[in-house]
C-alpha cells in the first residue's frame, strides 16, 4: 500500500553562500519581497533534503507541490530532471538512485528571469520550495504517479448520475480496478470492477444523485478506486467529487443546476505578511473563512495554480472557482515560451480535473498589455484548444485588459469573456463602468461578459469626509465599491464579478499612498487582521444573517463638517445611538444608512448601531475642533525622489490656469499639437531604457484615460529623480 511522508527540514543556501537549516515550505523572499524597491533577490537557491530509508520491495517517489520558477532535482548526485513552472505539482521516481540510508535530495530552484511564465506582473515572484515536499512509497503495481503530477485517476460525473472513472495503472497485468462510489454518509451507492489496462475506463450509475448546489448545499461524494489482485490490494486512491450542471447565458448570467445563480465574489493571491508564499493549511483555512464570511459564492484564484488544499476547501465550501495559469501581462515570442504556457495549462487541468468547484479554466490575464499580434493570437488559440480537448465539460475564459477593443478577435477566443476594469481608480470615472458594460453588451449580445477585476486602494492611515479618487482613503474605496455594486445590481447579463482583491498582497515594485511594496486593494489587510469598511459593505449585500457595521472606526477624530455616520446593513433600517442617546432611525437604501451631521461632544463618544436580529456594532469617535491633518495623504508621498531634483532640493510645482500640466489626462496631452510630440519622445526614450519599447504603444492605449501624475505615482522609483517636476515644467509652456 501507499505511504506518504512530508519532509519538513532542509539545508539551504543562496548560490555562493553558506548553508543554513530551514523549515519547509520555504521562500527566500518573505521579507525583501514585500518591502518595496523592486529589488528582491532573484537567483538560485540550493536545498539539501534528507529522505527516509527506502522500504525493500517498494518504489520511491518524491513530490513537490510548488517550487518557483524552475527546479532541477538530483538524488545522491544523480540528476532526476527539471521542472519549469512555479505553481504545479511534479514528481520524480527516485527508486533506482536510493541507498540503504543517508539519501540526500538536492534541489536547485531559481526565480530568475527565463522563458517560464509569469514574465512580468504586478506581484512579487517569491522564490523557493514554498509548498510541501512529500516522500511517497508504493508497490511496483500502482496508479501512475508520473502522469502530469496527478494521482492517475480521473472522475467525470454527470448530473444524471452517470459516472466515468478513468484510471491509469502501472505494472498491473492480471489485476483488477475496483470502484466504489460513496455518498456523504459513507454509504456505497454504486460499485464495479474491470480488468486493469494501461487506461482503464469504468462507467457507473448513481440513482437520483444529491446535487452540489454551491454555498447553499456543497454536497460531495467520494470515489474509492483500488488496484488489486484477488484479495490483495496494491494501491488505493480516494477522490471527492460532485454532481452538478452549469451554463452561462449572455443575457441572464450564470446558472447552476438549471437555476439562476448570480456569481459575486473575490480574487485571491496566496501570499501572507512575512511569509510570502510559504504558507500552511492554517493560513489557507483562515482565508477561506474570511471569504465565506464576506458572502462570496465564487473565487477567481489568480494569477496561477493555487495549492491543492485550497481547491479542496473550495469544493467543501461550495465556491464556484475560476482557475488559471500565469500567462500574464507580458507575452514572449518563441517556441520555448509557448510550450511553457501549454505545459502549465496541461498540468492545471489534469491536476485539478477532479475538483467539482472549478467551472472555468482561465488561459491568460491582461496578456495584450504589450499589444495584439498574430503569434500571441495563435498561442492563445492553442491554449484554448488544448483546454477544451482535455476537459470539454468546463468553460474557458480569459481576463482582458481594458484597452482590448470590444470587437477585437481576442474577445472571441474562449467560451466566455471577462474584462479587468478600473474606471474610477486608474482612469475615468466610476460611472464609465456602467457605460462600458452596456455598450459591450449591445455590440456583442451573444458573448457572455464578466468583470474579472475591479477595485480601489485603501490604506488604513488615510481618511476623508469627502473622498476623491486616488486619495487612498478607506472612505473612497468604500464609495467606489458601493457604486460598483449598484451598477452590477441592474445588469443581470454580467455572468460574474470578482473584486480585486480579497486581501492586500505583495507587489515589491509598488510605492503608492505612503505604502511600499504592497497592492492595497484588498478588502482585508495583508496580515488578515483588519477588515476594511468595504468588507462589511459586501457582507451587507451578499449575506442574509442580520448585520450592522458602523463605518469609520479608524477615522476617529471628527471636526465639525466631518460628523456624518454611515452604517452598512442587510436589515431594513438601523437605529443609531451616541453616548446612549438615541440619534434616530434610518431606512436602509442600497444597504446603507447615512446619519447626517451627528452631534458629538468634544472628546470620546460611543456610537452604537442597532437593528432587529443583528448584533450591535459600536465604534468610538472623538469630537475635535479642528480637522486632523494626519488623515490626509501628503503631496507626493509614496513617490520618493520624483518631486525633487538631482540635488535633493524640493521644488514647488506650478499649475498656471489654461496651461497643460501633469494634472491632465495622458490621452489629452498626447493629442495636443505641441505637448504631444514632446511627451511621446520622452516616453519612448524612457521605455527603451527600461527595455519596454515593444510594449509601449499598448501601454499608452491602456493609460490614455489616466492623469499623468497618477501614471508617475504608479511608476514610483523606476523614473529618474525629479521627473514629475521636469515634465510639469515643460508642459506648462503649452496653452490648452
Amino acid at each position: 500500500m501507499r505511504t506518504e511522508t512530508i519532509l519538513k527540514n532542509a539545508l539551504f543556501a543562496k548560490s555562493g553562500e553558506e548553508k543554513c537549516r530551514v523549515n519547509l515550505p520555504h521562500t527566500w523572499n518573505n521579507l525583501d519581497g514585500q518591502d518595496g524597491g523592486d529589488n528582491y533577490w532573484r537567483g538560485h537557491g540550493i536545498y539539501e533534503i534528507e529522505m527516509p530509508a527506502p522500504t525493500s520491495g517498494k518504489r520511491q517517489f518524491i513530490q513537490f507541490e510548488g517550487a518557483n520558477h524552475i527546479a532541477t532535482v538530483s538524488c545522491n548526485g544523480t540528476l532526476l530532471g527539471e521542472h519549469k513552472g512555479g505553481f504545479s505539482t511534479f514528481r520524480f521516481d527516485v527508486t533506482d538512485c536510493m541507498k540503504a540510508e543517508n539519501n540526500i535530495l538536492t534541489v536547485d530552484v531559481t526565480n530568475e528571469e527565463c522563458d517560464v511564465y509569469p514574465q512580468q506582473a504586478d506581484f512579487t515572484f517569491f522564490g523557493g520550495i514554498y509548498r510541501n515536499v512529500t516522500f511517497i512509497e508504493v508497490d511496483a503495481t500502482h496508479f501512475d504517479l508520473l502522469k502530469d503530477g496527478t494521482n492517475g485517476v480521473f472522475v467525470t460525473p454527470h448530473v444524471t448520475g452517470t459516472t466515468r472513472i478513468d484510471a491509469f495503472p502501472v505494472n498491473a497485468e492480471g489485476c483488477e480496478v475496483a470502484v466504489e462510489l460513496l455518498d456523504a454518509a459513507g454509504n456505497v451507492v454504486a460499485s464495479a470492477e474491470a480488468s486493469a489496462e494501461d487506461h482503464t475506463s469504468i462507467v457507473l450509475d448513481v440513482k437520483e444523485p444529491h446535487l452540489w448546489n454551491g454555498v447553499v448545499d456543497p454536497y460531495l461524494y467520494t470515489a474509492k478506486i483500488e488496484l488489486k489482485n484477488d484479495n490483495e490490494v496494491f494501491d488505493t486512491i480516494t477522490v471527492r467529487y460532485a454532481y452538478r450542471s452549469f451554463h452561462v447565458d449572455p443575457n441572464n448570467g450564470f446558472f447552476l443546476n438549471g437555476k439562476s445563480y448570480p456569481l459575486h465574489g473575490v480574487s485571491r493571491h496566496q501570499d501572507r505578511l512575512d511569509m510570502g508564499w510559504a504558507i500552511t493549511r492554517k493560513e489557507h483555512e483562515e482565508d477561506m473563512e474570511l471569504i465565506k464570511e464576506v458572502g462570496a459564492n465564487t473565487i477567481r484564484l489568480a494569477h496561477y495554480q493555487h495549492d491543492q488544499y485550497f481547491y479542496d476547501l473550495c469544493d467543501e465550501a461550495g465556491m464556484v472557482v475560476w482557475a488559471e495559469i500565469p500567462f500574464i501581462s507580458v507575452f514572449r515570442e518563441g517556441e520555448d515560451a509557448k510550450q511553457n504556457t501549454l505545459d502549465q495549462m496541461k498540468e492545471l487541468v489534469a491536476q485539478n480535473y477532479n475538483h467539482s468547484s472549478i467551472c472555468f479554466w482561465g488561459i491568460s490575464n491582461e496578456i495584450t498589455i504589450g499589444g495584439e499580434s498574430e503569434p500571441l493570437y495563435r498561442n492563445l488559440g492553442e491554449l484554448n484548444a488544448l483546454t477544451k480537448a482535455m476537459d470539454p465539460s468546463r468553460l474557458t475564459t480569459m481576463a482582458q485588459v481594458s484597452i482590448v477593443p470590444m470587437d477585437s478577435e481576442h474577445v472571441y477566443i474562449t467560451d466566455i469573456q471577462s474584462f479587468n476594469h478600473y474606471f474610477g481608480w486608474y482612469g475615468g470615472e466610476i460611472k464609465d463602468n456602467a457605460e462600458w458594460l452596456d455598450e459591450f453588451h449591445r455590440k456583442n449580445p451573444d458573448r457572455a461578459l464578466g468583470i474579472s477585476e475591479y477595485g480601489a486602494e485603501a490604506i488604513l492611515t488615510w481618511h476623508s469626509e469627502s473622498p476623491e479618487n486616488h486619495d487612498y482613503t478607506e472612505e473612497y474605496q468604500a464609495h467606489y465599491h458601493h457604486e460598483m455594486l449598484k451598477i452590477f445590481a441592474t445588469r443581470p447579463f454580467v455572468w460574474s464579478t470578482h473584486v480585486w482583491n480579497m486581501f492586500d498582497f505583495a507587489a515589491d515594485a509598488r510605492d503608492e499612498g505612503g505604502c511600499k511594496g504592497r497592492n492595497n486593494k484588498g478588502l482585508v489587510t495583508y496580515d488578515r487582521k483588519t477588515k476594511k469598511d468595504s468588507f462589511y459593505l459586501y457582507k451587507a449585500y451578499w449575506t442574509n444573517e442580520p448585520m450592522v457595521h458602523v463605518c469609520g472606526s479608524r477615522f476617529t477624530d471628527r471636526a465639525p463638517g466631518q460628523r456624518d455616520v454611515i452604517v452598512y446593513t442587510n436589515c431594513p433600517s438601523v437605529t443609531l445611538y451616541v453616548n446612549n442617546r438615541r440619534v434616530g432611525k434610518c431606512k436602509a437604501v442600497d444597504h446603507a444608512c447615512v446619519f447626517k451631521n451627528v452631534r458629538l461632544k468634544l472628546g470620546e463618544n460611543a456610537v452604537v448601531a442597532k437593528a432587529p436580529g443583528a448584533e450591535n456594532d459600536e465604534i468610538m469617535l472623538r469630537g475635535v475642533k479642528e480637522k486632523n491633518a494626519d488623515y490626509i495623504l501628503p503631496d507626493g508621498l509614496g513617490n520618493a525622489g520624483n518631486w525633487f531634483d538631482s540635488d535633493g532640493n524640493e521644488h514647488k510645482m506650478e499649475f498656471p490656469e489654461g496651461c497643460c500640466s501633469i494634472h491632465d489626462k495622458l490621452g489629452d496631452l498626447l493629442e495636443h499639437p505641441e505637448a504631444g510630440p514632446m511627451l511621446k519622445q520622452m516616453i519612448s526614450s524612457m521605455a527603451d531604457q527600461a527595455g519596454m519599447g515593444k510594449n509601449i504603444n499598448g501601454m499608452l492605449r491602456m493609460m490614455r484615460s489616466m492623469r499623468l501624475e497618477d501614471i508617475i505615482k504608479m511608476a514610483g522609483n523606476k523614473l529618474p529623480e525629479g521627473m514629475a517636476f521636469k515634465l510639469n515644467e515643460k508642459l506648462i509652456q503649452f496653452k490648452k
Side-chain angles (χ1 to χ4, degrees):
M1 292 295 288
R2 179 179 303 211
T3 61
E4 298 185 355
T5 304
I6 296 176
L7 307 182
K8 298 184 177 181
N9 299 288
L11 288 175
F12 169 75
K14 294 179 180 178
S15 51
E17 297 185 3
E18 292 186 5
K19 300 175 185 177
C20 63
R21 187 158 294 279
V22 298
N23 295 323
L24 298 175
H26 171 263
T27 177
W28 56 71
N29 298 123
N30 59 309
L31 299 180
D32 70 346
Q34 66 180 25
D35 63 0
D38 197 20
N39 57 355
Y40 63 98
W41 191 76
R42 299 185 68 176
H44 286 261
I46 312 298
Y47 295 86
E48 293 181 3
I49 307 170
E50 186 174 347
M51 293 188 291
T55 302
S56 178
K58 298 282 189 177
R59 296 201 68 81
Q60 290 78 37
F61 294 81
I62 194 71
Q63 171 180 289
F64 299 85
E65 295 178 25
N68 190 49
H69 280 341
I70 300 176
T72 305
V73 184
S74 301
C75 177
N76 296 326
T78 299
L79 177 65
L80 298 174
E82 179 184 73
H83 182 264
K84 292 185 173 183
F87 306 98
S88 54
T89 297
F90 59 97
R91 302 189 187 99
F92 294 105
D93 186 336
V94 298
T95 309
D96 296 338
C97 305
M98 295 291 285
K99 302 182 297 184
E101 57 184 14
N102 299 325
N103 292 282
I104 300 297
L105 196 72
T106 304
V107 189
D108 180 328
V109 183
T110 177
N111 64 341
E112 290 179 320
E113 292 185 21
C114 55
D115 284 329
V116 175
Y117 284 95
Q119 295 287 309
Q120 294 179 31
D122 188 18
F123 59 91
T124 299
F125 301 164
F126 294 92
I129 304 177
Y130 66 91
R131 292 186 189 147
N132 283 344
V133 179
T134 305
F135 179 74
I136 302 173
E137 288 196 314
V138 292
D139 286 295
T141 299
H142 59 272
F143 290 111
D144 193 355
L145 282 160
L146 298 180
K147 189 171 181 59
D148 302 317
T150 71
N151 57 21
V153 173
F154 304 89
V155 180
T156 307
H158 190 272
V159 70
T160 61
T162 301
T163 311
R164 190 181 79 239
I165 307 295
D166 291 284
F168 294 84
V170 174
N171 299 322
E173 186 176 352
C175 295
E176 300 86 36
V177 174
V179 178
E180 288 185 340
L181 303 182
L182 295 83
D183 63 17
N187 301 309
V188 176
V189 293
S191 62
E193 289 189 7
S195 297
E197 301 177 1
D198 291 346
H199 177 186
T200 306
S201 185
I202 299 175
V203 178
L204 306 88
D205 284 303
V206 174
K207 294 182 179 179
E208 299 180 355
H210 188 146
L211 301 186
W212 185 90
N213 197 28
V215 295
V216 177
D217 183 14
Y219 192 92
L220 294 172
Y221 286 78
T222 299
K224 180 181 178 182
I225 304 97
E226 292 183 335
L227 184 56
K228 64 180 187 176
N229 189 339
D230 293 330
N231 293 324
E232 184 177 6
V233 177
F234 297 107
D235 201 7
T236 302
I237 297 293
T238 58
V239 175
R240 292 189 308 173
Y241 72 96
Y243 298 96
R244 84 284 187 269
S245 66
F246 65 89
H247 72 276
V248 176
D249 183 272
N251 292 305
N252 299 298
F254 184 79
F255 284 72
L256 181 62
N257 300 326
K259 297 180 180 179
S260 177
Y261 190 81
L263 292 180
H264 51 255
V266 298
S267 297
R268 178 203 185 228
H269 268 296
Q270 65 188 4
D271 54 310
R272 183 74 72 99
L273 182 69
D274 297 334
M275 300 179 73
W277 290 343
I279 61 176
T280 69
R281 288 191 168 191
K282 173 178 175 289
E283 285 75 42
H284 287 301
E285 291 163 2
E286 288 174 356
D287 280 6
M288 178 55 75
E289 288 306 308
L290 286 164
I291 293 171
K292 287 162 62 176
E293 182 186 346
V294 83
N297 64 8
T298 179
I299 308 174
R300 180 183 173 210
L301 291 175
H303 285 303
Y304 38 74
Q305 184 170 332
H306 285 234
D307 193 298
Q308 284 294 313
Y309 185 62
F310 199 81
Y311 293 112
D312 288 340
L313 294 177
C314 291
D315 295 339
E316 295 171 3
M319 296 292 168
V320 172
V321 170
W322 166 334
E324 65 189 47
I325 61 170
F327 192 27
I328 175 174
S329 300
V330 173
F331 170 62
R332 185 170 184 149
E333 292 190 35
E335 285 302 311
D336 288 344
K338 182 178 76 172
Q339 187 59 48
N340 183 250
T341 67
L342 297 171
D343 291 343
Q344 292 203 51
M345 196 78 229
K346 184 178 181 182
E347 290 178 330
L348 175 76
V349 175
Q351 292 174 20
N352 295 285
Y353 185 89
N354 294 330
H355 288 290
S356 297
S357 56
I358 296 177
C359 295
F360 314 106
W361 299 120
I363 68 171
S364 70
N365 175 77
E366 296 188 345
I367 197 60
T368 55
I369 281 180
E372 299 178 18
S373 67
E374 185 59 29
L376 172 57
Y377 183 76
R378 289 198 304 269
N379 198 155
L380 290 167
E382 289 186 43
L383 279 169
N384 192 68
L386 169 67
T387 306
K388 296 301 293 184
M390 291 184 66
D391 183 9
S393 72
R394 293 178 172 96
L395 298 175
T396 58
T397 189
M398 61 197 300
Q400 303 281 18
V401 68
S402 279
I403 59 174
V404 171
M406 296 180 185
D407 58 354
S408 165
E409 60 184 354
H410 285 260
V411 172
Y412 308 104
I413 294 172
T414 51
D415 293 326
I416 55 178
Q417 189 61 65
S418 272
F419 272 77
N420 299 346
H421 281 315
Y422 290 94
F423 303 126
W425 180 250
Y426 288 131
E429 300 177 26
I430 301 173
K431 66 180 180 63
D432 295 341
N433 292 280
E435 296 170 4
W436 190 96
L437 288 169
D438 292 340
E439 184 178 0
F440 184 96
H441 188 53
R442 179 179 59 80
K443 288 184 174 181
N444 298 278
D446 297 325
R447 289 295 287 162
L449 172 66
I451 296 299
S452 36
E453 291 182 26
Y454 66 99
E457 304 242 347
I459 297 172
L460 301 184
T461 308
W462 315 124
H463 301 282
S464 175
E465 75 281 3
S466 52
E468 298 178 346
N469 188 1
H470 264 74
D471 62 10
Y472 294 89
T473 63
E474 199 171 353
E475 289 71 35
Y476 182 77
Q477 185 194 52
H479 166 72
Y480 167 92
H481 282 293
H482 203 176
E483 294 303 307
M484 293 299 291
L485 283 165
K486 294 175 190 176
I487 289 170
F488 297 146
T490 57
R491 289 166 175 81
F493 61 84
V494 179
W495 69 264
S496 71
T497 61
H498 291 96
V499 176
W500 192 260
N501 197 288
M502 182 65 193
F503 308 105
D504 294 345
F505 59 91
D508 199 51
R510 282 184 171 247
D511 184 358
E512 289 190 77
C515 182
K516 295 182 179 181
R518 190 81 46 85
N519 187 314
N520 293 284
K521 294 187 184 69
L523 304 181
V524 180
T525 53
Y526 194 23
D527 60 7
R528 277 52 168 184
K529 291 182 179 179
T530 304
K531 302 163 189 172
K532 303 176 188 179
D533 283 337
S534 297
F535 176 96
Y536 294 97
L537 172 65
Y538 279 96
K539 188 173 181 178
Y541 265 81
W542 291 349
T543 65
N544 295 319
E545 185 176 345
M547 56 80 62
V548 293
H549 170 74
V550 186
C551 299
S553 62
R554 287 163 288 278
F555 187 9
T556 306
D557 291 350
R558 301 290 185 95
Q562 297 182 309
R563 293 176 177 174
D564 289 356
V565 174
I566 299 174
V567 180
Y568 294 143
T569 185
N570 53 14
C571 300
S573 61
V574 171
T575 303
L576 192 72
Y577 297 83
V578 175
N579 301 324
N580 295 317
R581 177 180 59 85
R582 186 178 185 275
V583 172
K585 186 176 182 179
C586 179
K587 182 180 179 181
V589 178
D590 296 317
H591 296 282
C593 296
V594 181
F595 296 87
K596 303 291 290 184
N597 196 27
V598 174
R599 291 180 60 188
L600 301 177
K601 68 178 183 180
L602 291 179
E604 294 188 352
N605 297 263
V607 179
V608 180
K610 298 182 179 181
E615 185 176 340
N616 298 345
D617 190 41
E618 177 177 349
I619 68 170
M620 189 277 289
L621 297 181
R622 186 181 298 111
V624 296
K625 294 180 179 180
E626 301 292 337
K627 294 182 180 181
N628 187 342
D630 291 340
Y631 290 151
I632 306 302
L633 177 70
D635 288 341
L637 188 60
N639 253 329
N642 284 332
W643 310 101
F644 299 80
D645 64 21
S646 57
D647 296 323
N649 299 314
E650 185 175 3
H651 292 282
K652 182 175 177 60
M653 282 195 239
E654 297 179 355
F655 301 97
E657 189 174 349
C659 295
C660 297
S661 75
I662 62 171
H663 285 339
D664 294 321
K665 292 181 179 179
L666 176 63
D668 295 337
L669 292 172
L670 291 175
E671 293 171 4
H672 191 280
E674 297 172 289
M678 179 275 296
L679 194 57
K680 286 177 184 176
Q681 183 178 1
M682 291 189 69
I683 292 174
S684 296
S685 176
M686 288 187 291
D688 289 339
Q689 292 177 25
M692 299 182 65
K694 289 197 306 181
N695 300 325
I696 193 62
N697 289 331
M699 296 184 76
L700 288 179
R701 287 198 303 272
M702 179 181 68
M703 295 178 176
R704 288 183 69 86
S705 63
M706 296 175 62
R707 295 182 302 174
L708 186 55
E709 64 178 330
D710 291 334
I711 298 172
I712 293 169
K713 287 178 182 178
M714 286 179 62
N717 60 12
K718 291 184 178 180
L719 295 182
E721 287 186 350
M723 180 55 66
F725 178 80
K726 292 171 185 176
L727 266 175
N728 195 67
E729 216 174 25
K730 290 179 180 292
L731 288 171
I732 61 176
Q733 299 174 27
F734 306 118
K735 297 286 185 182
K736 291 186 177 180

